[in-house]
Amino acid sequence: MIKAIRGTRDLLPPDTALWNFVESIARQVFREYNFQEIRTPIFEATELFARGVGEDTDIVSKEMYTFEDRSRAESEKGQSLTLRPENTAGVVRAYIEHKMWERPGVQKLFYIGPQFRRERPQKGRYRQFYQIGAEVIGPTTAGSESPARDAEVLEMLATLLDRLGIQGWTLQLNSVGCSEDRPVYLEALREALKPVVGQMCFDCQRRAETNPLRVLDCKVPEDQPIIEKLPRMKDYLNESCREHFQQVQDILKAAGVPYVLNDRLVRGLDYYTRTAFEFTHGALGAQNAILGGGRYDGLSEAIGGPKAPGIGFAIGEDRLVLSLEESAEAVVSKPDAYIAPLGPGMNAEAVKLARELRQNSVIIEVGDETFRLKKSLETASKIGACFAIILGENEAKSNAFALKNLATGQQETVPRAELAGRIRKI
Ligand code: AMP
């Protein structure tokens, strides 16, 4: 048997109803905050991620699905392509390619779509997963660097999670500095790591060389006392980064958005500057980050564009849906009525009636004229329909139908013109 590839999965009903619910609420919230949709390709030039996300990140160094796209003609060059592991680099590439800075104000863009990373699959971690994300990007003169942008994005996320009915989230906030103060901090971190790194886990030993910031991310219990003693970014922030971070917090306080400071929060992608954040949720276990994001003031320049500070986030839609799963029943749509055609020639009548009712926004499932009434009523109950409409030759002639309430068992005769109204009343 051919099966779905490890780390990928089929999304089936009724779960898909929950996915649609999440996406429709997200689209509604994005509209209220004046974000518009962008759709970028699922594969891009490998170089985009190498330069954007960073060569030394786990994502680029070991998790990308990269392949050589062979040339099909003499005139064509082969090219290394990669299935996108995240969407921010693609959005910023599109921003540059289409000179979007020429449009008025800052660009507020959102996306919903699959991403690909070759990670070790486990609950809440997949190789094809879905992100709902957004970016605010633009020239400095449009206010793209302002702490107000950061605060608006964070406040919007709090609204979105509340709107989805997700309780018990925590916003974890940090500042990871900028291109000016971070190198100084990294140097201090490297120095502090030198005498102790030998006692740390294998991953930390590697990270200390390649990406020392990621040592702060380590979850290995034995390493924790060592990490606790390492220098912290907050003591190295320059004046303007410190002021920026303070203002983000002041606006969040004014807006009533709760947060906790976490000075060990670093993100797995190199492009982050200043504000970095995650929303976590207790019920998710080890993979407890529902979403993450931050500012990326140098990303556009890193991939060859103009200065275009920005801030964005990506919600792990798979995890969001997992944390909503208990309430799944509530959003699954069931048919309002099941039409049970009885006897030869009644399939055609059923289609006519179904068409009329559906035009009145009634959700209809149709049986088959070869079914006995008992089988039709059983099916109607099993699929969760509220009513069964019995449609035999007499009903077709008299234009009045037996409408059976499947919860109470009550049955009445309802004229054709009143059917939709009667069904919708429940
Ligand atoms: P990142 O793009 O790494 O900042 O991740 C943003 C969010 O995407 C995370 O907080 C997760 O919720 C989600 N995410 C990242 N990687 C995976 C994965 N392999 N499977 C499922 N969700 C993921």
Side-chain angles (χ1 to χ4, degrees):
M1 189 174 50
I2 301 175
K3 290 191 171 166
I5 304 299
R6 189 167 129 84
T8 73
R9 61 203 181 121
D10 302 304
L11 304 173
L12 307 175
D15 284 358
T16 39
L18 209 50
W19 285 73
N20 283 323
F21 166 73
V22 165
E23 289 171 18
S24 70
I25 300 279
R27 284 176 187 276
Q28 198 178 319
V29 170
F30 285 137
R31 197 157 48 233
E32 289 166 17
Y33 285 76
N34 196 31
F35 280 75
Q36 300 198 65
E37 184 170 8
I38 181 166
R39 299 189 190 195
T40 63
I42 277 173
F43 52 88
E44 300 264 4
T46 303
E47 191 194 355
L48 173 68
F49 304 113
R51 278 166 58 188
V53 177
E55 299 267 19
D56 294 330
T57 59
D58 284 352
I59 295 179
V60 174
S61 63
K62 32 180 210 200
E63 295 170 0
M64 295 208 300
Y65 285 95
T66 297
F67 57 99
E68 196 59 28
D69 196 19
R70 283 163 298 149
S71 61
R72 297 191 42 172
E74 288 276 316
S75 55
E76 241 179 22
K77 272 204 304 226
Q79 195 182 6
S80 175
L81 302 182
T82 292
L83 298 185
R84 63 184 187 197
E86 58 91 62
N87 218 154
T88 301
V91 170
V92 177
R93 182 211 33 79
Y95 172 88
I96 298 167
E97 189 167 334
H98 303 287
K99 298 193 172 57
M100 291 179 80
W101 59 85
E102 289 176 351
R103 302 179 182 209
V106 286
Q107 300 308 302
K108 298 169 84 173
L109 305 165
F110 78 87
Y111 58 82
I112 299 177
Q115 319 293 337
F116 306 85
R117 293 182 196 170
R118 196 194 278 104
E119 293 194 87
R120 198 167 46 77
Q122 64 182 83
K123 188 169 183 220
R125 191 158 75 191
Y126 310 99
R127 290 181 167 178
Q128 172 171 337
F129 60 101
Y130 295 80
Q131 288 186 333
I132 301 177
E135 316 292 346
V136 181
I137 180 170
T140 313
T141 48
S144 58
E145 218 168 354
S146 163
R149 302 289 87 73
D150 308 44
E152 186 187 34
V153 162
L154 292 166
E155 189 272 320
M156 174 172 79
L157 283 166
T159 299
L160 174 57
L161 295 182
D162 289 345
R163 206 68 79 77
L164 287 167
I166 294 185
Q167 282 158 3
W169 52 260
T170 306
L171 163 55
Q172 316 232 8
L173 200 58
N174 193 20
S175 174
V176 293
C178 65
S179 57
E180 199 181 283
D181 48 19
R182 195 159 42 187
V184 184
Y185 171 63
L186 287 180
E187 199 40 51
L189 193 56
R190 279 209 176 86
E191 277 304 306
L193 277 168
K194 260 185 206 155
V196 291
V197 72
Q199 306 154 37
M200 300 182 83
C201 72
F202 180 73
D203 274 341
C204 279
Q205 301 195 14
R206 182 176 51 83
R207 290 176 186 141
E209 290 288 319
T210 57
N211 202 349
L213 215 52
R214 292 305 302 274
V215 168
L216 301 180
D217 226 11
C218 172
K219 304 277 183 324
V220 174
E222 294 75 28
D223 288 359
Q224 301 311 308
I226 303 175
I227 297 170
E228 282 305 317
K229 294 202 197 85
L230 293 172
R232 294 299 158 93
M233 186 70 227
K234 67 171 186 241
D235 300 318
Y236 289 79
L237 291 179
N238 65 20
E239 193 49 42
S240 74
C241 285
R242 197 172 316 147
E243 176 60 23
H244 192 276
F245 194 37
Q246 190 54 52
Q247 283 190 36
V248 174
Q249 295 178 56
D250 291 346
I251 305 173
L252 287 179
K253 279 190 199 126
V257 177
Y259 62 89
V260 296
L261 294 178
N262 176 357
D263 59 13
R264 280 182 55 182
L265 180 101
V266 292
R267 313 261 312 116
L269 303 87
D270 274 358
Y271 51 61
Y272 287 113
T273 52
R274 294 187 164 174
T275 312
F277 59 85
E278 269 178 15
F279 281 70
T280 52
H281 192 268
L284 285 173
Q287 303 302 320
N288 71 350
I290 313 181
L291 70 93
R295 199 162 252 296
Y296 44 82
D297 292 343
L299 177 55
S300 170
E301 286 148 295
I303 56 177
K307 185 173 167 68
I311 176 156
F313 62 83
I315 303 172
E317 194 176 355
D318 306 74
R319 293 186 197 171
L320 200 60
V321 168
L322 269 179
S323 65
L324 278 174
E325 225 141 57
E326 279 110 65
S327 45
E329 276 294 300
V331 296
V332 172
S333 76
K334 302 249 169 81
D336 296 316
Y338 179 98
I339 299 178
L342 288 182
M346 289 303 117
N347 274 348
E349 292 293 334
V351 168
K352 261 165 57 190
L353 181 62
R355 188 171 159 101
E356 278 167 37
L357 293 172
R358 286 168 177 152
Q359 274 161 359
N360 284 290
S361 306
V362 180
I363 307 172
I364 294 290
E365 188 53 76
V366 186
D368 194 274
E369 62 186 27
T370 59
F371 296 171
R372 288 169 186 276
L373 181 59
K374 183 163 178 278
K375 174 172 172 174
S376 282
L377 292 179
E378 275 170 9
T379 309
S381 292
K382 271 191 213 148
I383 64 171
C386 299
F387 292 97
I389 302 169
I390 299 160
L391 171 51
E393 218 163 298
N394 290 342
E395 283 85 357
K397 273 202 199 106
S398 65
N399 250 344
F401 304 89
L403 182 68
K404 190 179 176 72
N405 183 323
L406 292 167
T408 64
Q410 269 175 353
Q411 188 168 318
E412 54 178 330
T413 305
V414 181
R416 190 175 199 118
E418 290 170 27
L419 256 184
R422 190 66 59 89
I423 292 168
R424 277 206 314 259
K425 243 198 298 181
I426 292 277

